[in-house]
Amino acid sequence: MADVKKIATRMGYGAALKELGALHDNIVVFDADLAGSTQTATFAKAFPHRHFNCGIAEGNMMAVAAGAATMGMVAFASSFAMFAAGRAYEQVRNSIGYTRLNVKIGASHGGISVGEDGASHQCLEDYALMRSIPGMVVMSPADEVEARAMVKAAYEHEGPVYMRFGRSPVPVFHDEATFHFEIGKGEVMREGTDIAIIANGLLVAEALEAGELLAAQGVEARIINMATVKPLDEALVLKAAEECGRILTCEEHSVIGGLGDAVCSLLSEKRPTPVRRIGTPDVFGHSGPAAELLRQFGLCGPCIAQTALEFVRG
Amino acid sequence: MTAKEKRALEISACKVRMGVIEGTYAAKSGHPGGSLSSADLFTYLYFKELNIDPAQPDKPDRDRFVLSKGHCAPGLYAALALRGFFPWEDLKTLRHIGSHLQGHPNMRSTPGVDMSTGSLGQGVSAACGMALAAKLQGNPCRVYTLLGDGEIEEGQVWEAFMFAHHYKLDNLRVIIDNNGLQIDGPVEQVMSSYPILDKLAAFGFETVEIDGHDFDALEGAFARAKTVKEKPFAILMRTTKGKGVSFMEDQVGWHGKAPNQEQYEIAMAELKAKLAELEAD
């Protein structure tokens, strides 16, 4: 995919906020001294009177956003995933989740691809934390086109939403003219019945590469982009289990509590099927360039292809 | 305020205190101590200060009240019931399965509750968000929030105070119930939040310290709040925890404990006698 345009999904977040801001007066955006990084600065430039920097105080920001939402505003609250889902977990749970308020959390710099900042900033637990909050929608886009569509869908959705965006540029493979996004619906990116690879975030591009590598080895993999971790597209997972017989999940998240666990929970109850999970194991990350870290943790096309091949050939 | 108005408030406050005792006794749990120290404030807000209408609990221009110290829900519920937001009898369902009166306020279940609270420190932030949104919308409403003197040990409270000043939230009124006691003992011993007034002033608040059981003082404080522009306003209320029930007054043990039957009867007898005295005059 070397010739494909690469854009970080967080850019899509900023662009979509600006588009939405022009259409809807009831949007307010909050940030916690990371507006340049989360891309809410794009919105701030266009609508300065509706963008509020909360300073380095994420817990306060989340509950402020909740308060604004009680007044009929649709509040977007942004920080790095580590601080949005981690530091402010309890504010998100009690002031946003329990209240079912219209707050949309835009969490950028999720996963290990934050890179050089190291383990303290590499949030690999946000799906687990956010999934466990009743009613919370949890999503992560695979590319910039999907990111923009997701933010618009989040605006239309009534209730709390958590969206994770990435720091690093990733290939844009969706065609904006034809792409349609729906919360809770997975997307089959490639057909195949030897194995189903269910991925999200930047691992969708890697899974697509794995699909090509596997095809060269005579293995036809179905590649599914599961942008919505919760609510999970159960029908699509069950269909893949039935038709492919093996599921490989891929996520830039701990194997504990994320997409892989969501798929396993569903299958173990409704259609027991062999599953392997690619994600970070029960360890913290460390500093390094994003691409090298992804390779080191097995979160890359060739690594996925190798695991899939071993899985298929037993 | 006229003597007649003041007497009416005193009568209502006495009834609110009876509601606190009824509720916590029926629940066999809950927080009477802080509910009683705040009972006069709840009464003043719902019977004098707030622009609210029990027939339209969601009217957009209503004043908002956020009980940041959410455990004092029994006091808030009693004031809401007395003001007509829901039947008085509901107080006896407090904390029961199926009741709309949750252990801590739930905006989705109880008419008149503007924000779900209970986890300390979050309500004041939500109140800031309401005040900010109101300004943006040109909504003339005011936002009131009540915190405990123990609650302000939470760091988030000071994040919110910083925010309120930064965004010049002059439609916000922060009230701190300074009853001096928290679960583990006197605030001074557990983790001193003093000097509260100086800290609030340093955070950019216009401040006033009053006797939180004096309706004239409450009236004066809220009147002064209306004159303050471009900065938030804070009221530090000196109060007595457990106020109005002799054996609960200033006793840390009554922070989060319900009266047993004997204690219930003594407390209600005291309050009924007080009510009769007020109504006789």
Side-chain angles (χ1 to χ4, degrees):
Chain A
M1 290 196 174
D3 54 337
V4 177
K5 184 169 66 168
K6 283 186 157 192
I7 312 177
T9 53
R10 63 189 163 116
M11 305 303 285
Y13 178 53
L17 285 180
K18 186 180 166 186
E19 282 181 54
L20 286 169
L23 297 171
H24 310 287
D25 287 339
N26 66 345
I27 290 184
V28 280
V29 176
F30 297 95
D31 210 304
D33 196 35
L34 290 168
S37 298
T38 63
Q39 298 300 315
T40 67
T42 306
F43 179 90
K45 202 173 166 194
F47 309 102
H49 64 293
R50 285 192 276 149
H51 182 275
F52 301 95
N53 208 319
C54 297
I56 309 164
E58 297 81 7
N60 179 57
M61 173 178 72
M62 291 301 176
V64 162
T70 69
M71 304 291 288
M73 308 303 281
V74 178
F76 285 79
S78 313
S79 182
F80 286 177
M82 188 71 254
F83 314 123
R87 188 185 192 97
Y89 171 78
E90 203 238 323
Q91 285 82 0
V92 173
R93 180 194 183 275
N94 277 323
S95 289
I96 298 172
Y98 180 46
T99 55
R100 307 195 301 273
L101 284 166
N102 238 340
V103 178
K104 321 299 172 184
I105 300 163
S108 75
H109 292 59
I112 203 158
S113 58
V114 166
E116 291 83 350
D117 277 351
S120 62
H121 285 56
Q122 293 162 344
C123 188
L124 297 163
E125 306 87 13
D126 50 342
Y127 295 165
L129 288 163
M130 293 294 112
R131 274 180 71 215
S132 64
I133 296 175
M136 180 67 76
V137 170
V138 182
M139 306 191 282
S140 187
D143 70 2
E144 194 264 350
V145 170
E146 185 168 50
R148 277 188 282 145
M150 181 180 285
V151 176
K152 290 171 191 170
Y155 172 80
E156 298 295 338
H157 177 81
E158 187 71 26
V161 173
Y162 177 85
M163 293 172 284
R164 182 220 265 200
F165 306 105
R167 176 192 177 208
S168 309
V170 290
V172 177
F173 45 80
H174 284 114
D175 177 358
E176 190 173 1
T178 57
F179 181 63
H180 172 73
F181 180 81
E182 195 176 334
I183 291 174
K185 293 288 178 209
E187 177 191 15
V188 178
M189 308 291 298
R190 187 185 194 282
E191 289 295 351
T193 54
D194 293 331
I195 184 172
I197 301 178
I198 302 176
N200 72 8
L202 59 73
L203 283 177
V204 175
E206 301 298 329
L208 287 170
E209 184 190 339
E212 289 173 26
L213 295 170
L214 287 166
Q217 302 269 345
V219 173
E220 294 301 328
R222 179 177 304 181
I223 312 291
I224 295 172
N225 169 22
M226 197 63 84
T228 311
V229 179
K230 184 187 162 190
L232 188 67
D233 189 342
E234 297 194 353
L236 194 65
V237 174
L238 292 170
K239 186 164 182 275
E242 185 184 341
E243 293 174 2
C244 305
R246 293 179 194 84
I247 304 275
L248 177 62
T249 62
C250 306
E251 61 194 313
E252 197 190 355
H253 187 277
S254 168
V255 291
I256 298 168
L259 175 63
D261 267 8
V263 167
C264 285
S265 298
L266 170 71
L267 293 177
S268 63
E269 286 189 359
K270 295 197 177 160
R271 188 182 178 91
T273 304
V275 177
R276 299 235 178 128
R277 293 169 302 160
I278 288 179
T280 54
D282 190 19
V283 297
F284 287 100
H286 45 246
S287 290
E292 284 179 40
L293 283 169
L294 290 167
R295 269 199 301 279
Q296 190 184 13
F297 280 86
L299 307 171
C300 62
C303 318
I304 295 168
Q306 192 188 336
T307 303
L309 211 54
E310 286 166 13
F311 192 11
V312 171
R313 294 189 175 154
Chain B
M1 149 175 22
T2 63
K4 197 178 160 195
E5 261 186 302
K6 192 169 165 184
R7 180 52 50 97
L9 286 171
E10 286 166 351
I11 288 169
S12 294
C14 190
K15 289 177 180 170
V16 166
R17 289 191 161 91
M18 292 167 89
V20 170
I21 299 303
E22 290 284 9
T24 53
Y25 174 63
K28 297 187 175 66
S29 67
H31 298 80
S35 294
L36 293 171
S37 66
S38 303
D40 297 306
L41 175 82
F42 291 136
T43 304
Y44 187 81
L45 288 177
Y46 282 94
F47 287 85
K48 177 90 174 142
E49 176 70 12
L50 298 180
N51 168 26
I52 39 119
D53 178 2
Q56 307 173 70
D58 298 325
K59 70 168 183 162
D61 69 341
R62 71 188 186 279
D63 287 336
R64 267 67 172 179
F65 176 66
V66 180
L67 182 61
S68 199
K69 55 170 203 157
H71 55 280
C72 297
L76 172 63
Y77 294 159
L80 287 170
L82 193 64
R83 188 69 177 78
F85 282 86
F86 50 83
W88 182 259
E89 285 304 302
D90 290 6
L91 297 178
K92 291 177 182 167
T93 69
L94 174 68
R95 292 177 168 237
H96 285 56
I97 288 174
S99 174
H100 70 90
L101 299 177
Q102 293 295 292
H104 293 82
N106 178 1
M107 63 182 282
R108 296 298 188 190
S109 70
T110 305
V113 170
D114 291 317
M115 181 67 198
S116 306
T117 52
S119 176
L120 296 177
Q122 297 189 29
V124 60
S125 298
C128 286
M130 291 175 185
L132 186 80
K135 279 184 169 285
L136 208 55
Q137 295 165 335
N139 187 330
C141 73
R142 300 190 180 95
V143 183
Y144 299 72
T145 183
L146 176 67
L147 295 92
D149 51 4
E151 178 182 11
I152 63 174
E153 291 159 5
E154 286 281 3
Q156 181 177 347
V157 167
W158 301 94
E159 295 179 3
F161 288 168
M162 201 161 27
F163 183 96
H165 175 250
H166 185 82
Y167 286 107
K168 303 184 170 71
L169 301 180
D170 52 17
N171 52 351
L172 176 74
R173 283 97 173 93
V174 167
I175 305 135
I176 296 177
D177 183 5
N178 186 200
N179 60 36
L181 297 174
Q182 58 188 116
I183 300 178
D184 277 350
V187 170
E188 265 177 319
Q189 287 175 24
V190 177
M191 176 50 63
S192 175
S193 52
Y194 300 106
I196 299 171
L197 214 58
D198 290 350
K199 287 176 185 169
L200 284 163
F203 271 68
F205 277 72
E206 184 77 16
T207 62
V208 62
E209 183 174 2
I210 60 165
D211 174 349
H213 303 304
D214 177 346
F215 288 116
D216 288 319
L218 284 164
E219 182 180 47
F222 286 114
R224 191 170 142 203
K226 293 191 177 83
T227 68
V228 175
K229 300 291 172 217
E230 303 264 299
K231 60 201 286 202
F233 189 80
I235 300 170
L236 182 65
M237 301 195 305
R238 287 185 314 275
T239 60
T240 301
K241 200 154 184 166
K243 176 77 175 177
V245 176
S246 61
F247 58 90
M248 291 186 179
E249 286 194 2
D250 216 20
Q251 295 299 309
V252 73
W254 286 103
H255 171 88
K257 188 174 77 170
N260 61 26
Q261 192 183 342
E262 187 190 349
Q263 292 160 335
Y264 165 78
E265 280 164 10
I266 296 169
M268 289 304 282
E270 283 183 20
L271 290 167
K272 277 176 190 161
K274 174 77 178 170
L275 187 64
E277 182 190 315
L278 289 166
E279 286 176 337
D281 272 3

